[in-house]
Amino acid sequence: KLRSGQKVFKKTSPNGRITVYVGQRDFLDTGDVVEAVEGVVLVDPVYLNKDGDAKKVFCQLEGAFRYGKEELEVIGINFEKILFNGIFQVYPPSGDEVHSNLQRRLIRKLGENAHPFRFTIPPGLSPSLILQGMPGEPDRQCGIDYQLKSYIARQANEKPEKKRMVSLTIKKLTHAPADSMPNRPTLDVKKEYMLSSNPIHVEANLDKAVYYHGEEIKINVSITNASSRQIRRIKLSARQFTEICWSVSAQYKRVVAELESADGFPLLPGSSCQRTYTLTPLFKKCKEKRGLAVDGHLRDEDTLLASSTIFPPAAAQLAEYKEKYGIIVRYMIKVTLVVALSTDLKLNLPFLLTHPKPPPPPEPVTAPKAPNEPEKLESLPPAYDALDPKPKQEDLIQFDSGPDDSDFVFEEFIRFRVSGDTDA
Amino acid sequence: MAGGNLPIKFQELISLTNLGINPANIGFATLTMESDRYICVREKIGDTQHVAIIDMTDPQNPMRKPIAADSVIMNPASKVLALRSNSNKSIQIFNIEMKAKMKSHIMPEDVLFWKWINLNMIAIVTETSVYHWSVEGESTPEKMFDRHQNLAGCQVINYRANNDMKWLLLVGISAQDKRVAGVMQLYSVERKVSQALEGHAAAFTQFKLGENPQESCLFMFSVRTATGGKLHIIEVGTPPEGNQPFPKKAVDVYFNPEAQQDFPVAMQIARKFNIIYMITKFGYIHLYDVETGTCIFMNRISSETIFVTAEHEATNGIIGVNRKGQVLTVCVDENNLVPYVSQTLQNAELALKLAIRCNLPGAEDLFIR
């Protein structure tokens, strides 16, 4: 199929009178700036203005921390903290909106009834996060979500009927800048045992500090066993630590990848070894999902583990950030040496899990030269190949993205569900 | 068209205006359809020229690209696009999937008409000559023949070649005394000889006659002169070894008396049935049997001019686009053809021939007669 072009997601209200178009479902917060949540709303002006009863169309973006389902609202149980709330009147338009390239192209494709909207979320707010089915209360969901709504109403703060409203759950995701954790995690531990004059010396490090979702983590472990004990085997795990700081104070610890190895063990007294192990934290590998922090719904095919909460390098007090973010997510690699007749030797190496930097916006490409401009000799490129006597001709067709007005592929906004998931 | 016992099936595949194509760009100068796979339309959006490429397997999502060309033709089978710019006589071929330029050339004179004549070759027509340009290798356009003086000043509307490219045909039209005259130049590559003919629409086909061991190369053309309409079917070249020659046919072509200005504009052959589809300017379709020239069927399928046609491979039919942007197909109705010829045309001999030749149902009762 020849189909190519930019994907645009759309969703229509149940009454069919408004459709929201957005270029992405996920928006990255790089610490300096958040990708703009923008698009157009296609309205039906005849319906909006009929019977002399002018209705307006608004767009609202609301980010909130929620604890508990609305239906279970009983005194003291339900909690909602609004992180961001923006309302934008889409129709009738004010006329002085600045249109982005995407909005201009969508308006050209969809016609004059498509009206633009844009929200700029300030950086540093909590990212989209859901804590899966908390223990003891499987129906409760705790998390942070961002809802983009568009609705028909006479005034902005009128609560719209469900059939006159479109609601889209977007994901605000974090990108950790390079200086978030500038140093490679390294730990050097010596442990002395009773009735043994010499210690076990373990040095462990990770190949880097910041990992993107799905990347392998390489853990280098170097052990020198100068003690009189045998080291039976090694266990490694990647763990997610989640702490809720609003409404309820709770902490969760979940293993997101693990391995155990007896290869090269037992490590006898007086010997040493150096090995590299690999772990890849993946949402799909987490057996126990209750209390696990993820960025989307359990059954959505594109749900990932929650990214690490980013604390700017000059962190003052942890408490300050807990108050700001509401839910803190951290990751650690735990290395455990199982020592015969002794307690385990444990090391913890923190690391950051995050999203890669968003690609820079494409450079606008100018359209090919109009054919009736004469070719001037001086416009020939300076490196004129004498073996190729033909003067270089401008390409008659452009493939790169440019003022390419109608090259869109429209897709429904809904994220696909993975079937067969039995977890609550 | 209702079913009943018509020998053809007729269908509107898509409406180009529903895909967002501007009606002003639906015409011979801006829309090309080299095969039933793709339709290319040149459109100006804002101040930029674009080409909209409609993939007939997925017509709802035309691909649009900015261009600086005056003519765009897509390869009959693959996503290879040829573009030409009249101002600098530049012709370029791109592989759309690879987003890469395959070949380019500067012609010595203005190109007036061009067309893909098979999967690898483009025919290029200038004021004085006809060239063939192969997509393969580093080859440049190769001159095939000089244009016949009878076609001087004509608007070139078509070019055809037979299957082994030994017989080539150039078709042009010109306005003469309130009617549109058609002039054709038939060229033999082996003999290096041209012949000028009066004709409006033509085609080549290979046809196995009777007990002949090999196929005959047939040339058929239709014309409406001042005196009336004719269809000619003749064998070109020396009959192959062991073959009986094909007896040439000339039959009348009927035009509606109310359509004095009507004339043939397109001809395609359904090789599976050896049937000629002929379309006229005013939107009539005629079906003729290749072997005998017998007219099987005539009817009007479009009130608007059908200005471009191609073979419709899936149905062994003909596909065409009219000025309203309707993409139409006509094909033989395999179940009804033989009964129609036998009962409605009362031509048992032809019905039987068609049944046997094309393995079609409906002739069971003919054996009794």
Side-chain angles (χ1 to χ4, degrees):
Chain A
K1 293 195 178 169
L2 262 185
R3 184 187 298 193
S4 71
Q6 185 170 352
K7 210 182 250 199
V8 171
F9 298 96
K10 66 182 183 80
K11 194 169 177 186
T12 308
S13 59
N15 72 355
R17 303 292 180 182
I18 51 172
T19 303
V20 175
Y21 292 82
V22 287
Q24 36 193 126
R25 292 189 295 211
D26 304 329
F27 299 84
L28 276 183
D29 178 345
T30 61
D32 300 320
V33 74
V34 181
E35 290 181 303
V37 179
E38 64 170 15
V40 301
V41 184
L42 187 65
V43 309
D44 178 348
V46 173
Y47 164 80
L48 293 171
N49 293 307
K50 77 173 179 190
D51 308 326
D53 174 29
K55 298 179 267 291
K56 300 180 179 167
V57 177
F58 298 94
C59 252
Q60 179 189 25
L61 181 62
E62 188 183 76
F65 167 84
R66 280 176 237 279
Y67 179 90
K69 279 189 169 176
E70 262 179 64
E71 295 86 351
L72 298 171
E73 194 167 321
V74 175
I75 299 165
I77 295 184
N78 208 352
F79 182 83
E80 186 184 78
K81 177 169 167 149
I82 304 294
L83 305 169
F84 178 88
N85 190 2
I87 299 187
F88 191 101
Q89 180 176 313
V90 167
Y91 179 89
S94 64
D96 57 0
E97 300 91 9
V98 177
H99 301 179
S100 70
N101 199 21
L102 172 69
Q103 287 170 327
R104 255 184 280 121
R105 288 167 55 204
L106 279 171
I107 291 168
R108 251 200 258 229
K109 169 87 176 179
L110 299 167
E112 59 186 18
N113 292 326
H115 299 278
F117 65 87
R118 179 182 294 112
F119 295 99
T120 313
I121 307 173
L125 293 182
S126 310
S128 298
L129 205 60
I130 294 184
L131 229 67
Q132 301 297 347
M134 283 146 52
E137 295 165 335
D139 280 38
R140 290 255 161 86
Q141 282 221 328
C142 168
I144 292 151
D145 65 75
Y146 289 83
Q147 297 277 338
L148 176 66
K149 294 182 194 158
S150 186
Y151 54 94
I152 300 170
R154 284 182 193 79
Q155 293 165 64
N157 46 20
E158 194 179 292
K159 191 162 159 61
E161 299 166 37
K162 286 231 160 85
K163 62 178 194 268
R164 293 179 168 192
M165 182 167 86
V166 183
S167 196
L168 302 92
T169 306
I170 62 168
K171 282 203 269 195
K172 187 175 96 75
L173 304 171
T174 318
H175 161 74
D179 61 357
S180 313
M181 193 182 270
N183 304 310
R184 249 174 77 180
T186 301
L187 214 51
D188 198 322
V189 173
K190 282 197 179 97
K191 186 159 180 182
E192 289 185 9
Y193 289 89
M194 300 265 280
L195 307 173
S196 171
S197 46
N198 294 316
I200 294 176
H201 182 195
V202 186
E203 197 181 317
N205 60 54
L206 305 181
D207 60 325
K208 48 183 180 167
V210 180
Y211 294 89
Y212 299 146
H213 291 276
E215 269 194 312
E216 272 180 359
I217 300 175
K218 289 197 171 52
I219 308 139
N220 303 308
V221 184
S222 174
I223 311 170
T224 306
N225 187 4
S227 78
S228 55
R229 304 276 198 275
Q230 283 191 14
I231 304 173
R232 286 263 160 75
R233 58 183 184 282
I234 188 170
K235 295 197 283 198
L236 299 103
S237 59
R239 292 166 177 232
Q240 180 197 74
F241 295 87
T242 309
E243 198 178 330
I244 306 176
C245 319
W246 288 333
S247 157
V248 280
S249 190
Q251 291 175 338
Y252 300 92
K253 185 166 59 178
R254 289 290 172 267
V255 171
V256 295
E258 62 187 330
L259 75 87
E260 198 171 309
S261 176
D263 218 11
F265 292 91
L267 198 62
L268 301 172
S271 43
S272 61
C273 77
Q274 279 172 320
R275 269 175 193 248
T276 301
Y277 300 90
T278 309
L279 283 176
T280 310
L282 281 179
F283 169 57
K284 293 185 188 7
K285 283 195 210 160
C286 303
K287 288 174 232 161
E288 198 190 302
K289 294 187 176 135
R290 283 163 200 251
L292 185 71
V294 294
D295 69 3
H297 285 279
L298 194 59
R299 284 195 199 80
D300 284 344
E301 61 159 11
D302 60 351
T303 295
L304 297 173
L305 291 169
S307 298
S308 301
T309 308
I310 305 303
F311 301 95
Q317 304 267 353
L318 193 58
E320 198 184 301
Y321 283 94
K322 284 185 181 181
E323 183 48 44
K324 183 180 177 191
Y325 287 111
I327 303 181
I328 310 286
V329 176
R330 281 179 285 193
Y331 289 91
M332 208 85 79
I333 296 285
K334 181 169 178 177
V335 180
T336 306
L337 296 185
V338 177
V339 183
L341 307 170
S342 306
T343 51
D344 294 341
L345 210 174
K346 299 178 192 180
L347 296 86
N348 283 312
L349 296 156
F351 68 93
L352 291 184
L353 189 62
T354 192
H355 289 272
K357 206 176 170 115
E363 294 286 314
V365 173
T366 52
K369 213 161 62 156
N372 47 19
E373 276 176 37
E375 274 275 324
K376 298 193 257 302
L377 274 179
E378 12 343 342
S379 69
L380 286 176
Y384 189 58
D385 188 355
L387 292 174
D388 179 13
K390 291 186 291 187
K392 294 204 194 292
Q393 287 282 320
E394 180 116 16
D395 279 356
L396 295 179
I397 185 170
Q398 293 290 325
F399 289 110
D400 303 320
S401 65
D404 201 344
D405 297 317
S406 305
D407 229 354
F408 290 115
V409 174
F410 292 119
E411 198 177 293
E412 285 303 314
F413 186 89
I414 189 164
R415 297 177 205 261
F416 288 109
R417 295 274 152 125
V418 175
S419 60
D421 233 323
T422 53
D423 205 346
Chain B
M1 236 163 229
N5 56 358
L6 290 177
I8 62 158
K9 285 195 274 210
F10 167 77
Q11 196 187 349
E12 178 187 318
L13 291 184
I14 51 170
S15 163
L16 294 175
T17 48
N18 284 357
L19 299 180
I21 305 288
N22 189 329
N25 298 325
I26 299 176
F28 186 78
T30 44
L31 188 151
T32 61
M33 181 175 71
E34 301 287 283
S35 73
D36 58 5
R37 303 260 188 123
Y38 305 102
I39 294 175
C40 296
V41 189
R42 288 188 305 115
E43 298 205 287
K44 200 155 185 192
I45 302 180
D47 50 9
T48 322
Q49 280 272 354
H50 281 75
V51 62
I53 301 170
I54 297 142
D55 178 343
M56 292 305 288
T57 61
D58 179 26
Q60 299 303 325
N61 286 299
M63 174 201 252
R64 284 186 165 86
K65 294 271 176 244
I67 56 169
D70 302 300
S71 177
V72 171
I73 50 173
M74 184 73 93
N75 181 286
S78 57
K79 297 163 193 172
V80 167
L81 191 65
L83 301 103
R84 105 178 171 242
S85 163
N86 290 341
S87 59
N88 51 21
K89 304 197 200 6
S90 148
I91 48 181
Q92 298 175 355
I93 303 180
F94 285 82
N95 183 320
I96 304 260
E97 284 212 288
M98 303 288 134
K99 299 190 183 183
K101 181 154 58 176
M102 291 165 66
K103 287 182 111 158
S104 68
H105 189 76
I106 312 283
M107 289 296 292
E109 356 153 43
D110 290 331
V111 175
L112 304 178
F113 178 83
W114 66 341
K115 192 169 179 60
W116 287 91
I117 49 177
N118 64 31
L119 301 189
N120 301 312
M121 195 79 81
I122 298 178
I124 298 169
V125 182
T126 68
E127 188 75 45
T128 61
S129 324
V130 171
Y131 300 80
H132 282 186
W133 191 21
S134 169
V135 159
E136 287 162 353
E138 305 289 318
S139 54
T140 54
E142 182 197 339
K143 179 158 155 180
M144 301 305 291
F145 57 90
D146 289 309
R147 278 175 60 168
H148 196 287
Q149 70 221 36
N150 281 23
L151 275 88
C154 283
Q155 180 192 359
V156 176
I157 57 166
N158 212 345
Y159 182 86
R160 309 206 76 159
N162 79 326
N163 68 332
D164 62 10
M165 310 248 273
K166 298 270 173 61
W167 291 92
L168 310 173
L169 183 83
L170 187 62
V171 185
I173 51 172
S174 66
Q176 306 228 348
D177 296 327
K178 299 175 212 170
R179 108 190 159 78
V180 175
V183 195
M184 308 192 306
Q185 176 179 4
L186 178 65
Y187 180 78
S188 161
V189 173
E190 280 175 337
R191 299 180 205 170
K192 301 194 191 336
V193 170
S194 279
Q195 179 175 356
L197 303 160
E198 250 199 291
H200 285 108
F204 292 97
T205 195
Q206 296 288 106
F207 176 72
K208 191 90 108 38
L209 175 70
E211 300 294 319
N212 276 351
Q214 299 192 64
E215 292 176 325
S216 315
C217 176
L218 301 185
F219 170 59
M220 50 274 292
F221 67 98
S222 64
V223 63
R224 188 180 190 179
T225 60
T227 44
K230 274 268 193 288
L231 169 70
H232 299 268
I233 306 171
I234 59 174
E235 180 169 11
V236 285
T238 322
E241 188 83 38
N243 266 17
Q244 288 296 307
F246 181 90
K248 66 179 173 190
K249 308 283 179 301
V251 298
D252 289 324
V253 169
Y254 173 83
F255 285 95
N256 192 322
E258 287 170 12
Q260 285 299 312
Q261 300 296 312
D262 202 9
F263 61 93
V265 290
M267 191 176 284
Q268 301 290 352
I269 315 296
R271 269 167 295 184
K272 183 177 175 188
F273 311 109
N274 281 304
I275 281 187
I276 302 169
Y277 299 104
M278 191 192 88
I279 289 185
T280 74
K281 174 114 181 144
F282 284 33
Y284 289 83
I285 182 131
H286 297 207
L287 264 68
Y288 296 91
D289 167 51
V290 166
E291 187 179 351
T292 60
T294 312
C295 181
I296 295 173
F297 183 76
M298 288 189 291
N299 209 326
R300 195 166 196 193
I301 52 165
S302 172
S303 52
E304 296 277 331
T305 305
I306 295 171
F307 61 90
V308 66
T309 67
E311 259 184 71
H312 191 239
E313 281 185 35
T315 60
N316 288 286
I318 182 171
I319 181 172
V321 184
N322 71 8
R323 289 302 305 267
K324 233 165 61 176
Q326 294 172 297
V327 181
L328 313 163
T329 61
V330 175
C331 65
V332 164
D333 185 332
E334 298 194 22
N335 294 322
N336 287 348
L337 179 67
V338 170
Y340 180 87
V341 173
S342 146
Q343 292 151 28
T344 311
L345 297 187
Q346 297 276 301
N347 190 338
E349 195 186 325
L350 179 61
L352 198 55
K353 248 191 198 160
L354 288 169
I356 295 169
R357 191 169 80 199
C358 318
N359 198 22
L360 293 173
E364 297 73 29
D365 60 334
L366 293 176
F367 290 102
I368 303 167
R369 297 191 198 173

